[in-house]
Amino acid sequence: MRRLGRRGAFLVTLGASWAGYGYSIASDPRYGTARGLSDVTKYVPLEALGWGWVACGALAVVAALAGVRWQPFGFAAIGVPAGLWGAAFTVTWASGGYPSAWGSAAAWCGFALSIVWVSGMQECPHSEGVKRWM
């Protein structure tokens, strides 16, 4: 089996988390999530958004397991929902529709930016990683 590396491990971890989060949205969304995304759910049902998270999470895991050349697709898959959530909560907060949305906006925008930064990092060779920890 191929070695995942740090970027692959990141994709598997966050991809699995995204899938679990998406399932929770599709099956029983929290009030704050539903209220903070009211501008988006005018066009797309919250259940469909939840299943989108599941699909994006699964795609990230598959991309990580498929190898380095597929990782960009995995990073895009986990970046899109986080960016959408960040933008939606920011718009809701800025419009005064849900004053508490600023906390979710900050977290989701931070997640999206973190994903972009990790996607641009190069995988270090195995021997270098081992030397640093020993």
Side-chain angles (χ1 to χ4, degrees):
M1 184 169 150
R2 280 188 198 135
R3 187 172 172 275
L4 280 177
R6 292 177 182 169
R7 289 166 40 96
F10 180 84
L11 282 173
V12 169
T13 302
L14 213 49
S17 298
W18 264 211
Y21 180 69
Y23 181 73
S24 77
I25 292 168
S27 61
D28 188 21
R30 292 176 302 130
Y31 172 73
T33 301
R35 188 169 175 197
L37 296 171
S38 61
D39 289 336
V40 175
T41 56
K42 291 176 190 173
Y43 308 103
V44 181
L46 199 52
E47 184 177 7
L49 291 170
W51 288 113
W53 276 84
V54 172
C56 287
L59 179 61
V61 171
V62 169
L65 297 174
V68 175
R69 73 172 174 237
W70 295 100
Q71 286 181 358
F73 298 105
F75 281 106
I78 60 174
V80 167
L84 173 65
W85 250 233
F89 278 104
T90 300
V91 168
T92 300
W93 168 74
S95 68
Y98 183 43
S100 298
W102 71 268
S104 294
W108 287 114
C109 288
F111 258 127
L113 288 172
S114 296
I115 292 164
V116 169
W117 289 329
V118 172
S119 73
M121 292 179 180
Q122 291 187 357
E123 191 69 59
C124 66
H126 180 68
S127 60
E128 287 181 21
V130 171
K131 287 178 190 175
R132 265 189 261 166
W133 290 101
M134 296 187 131

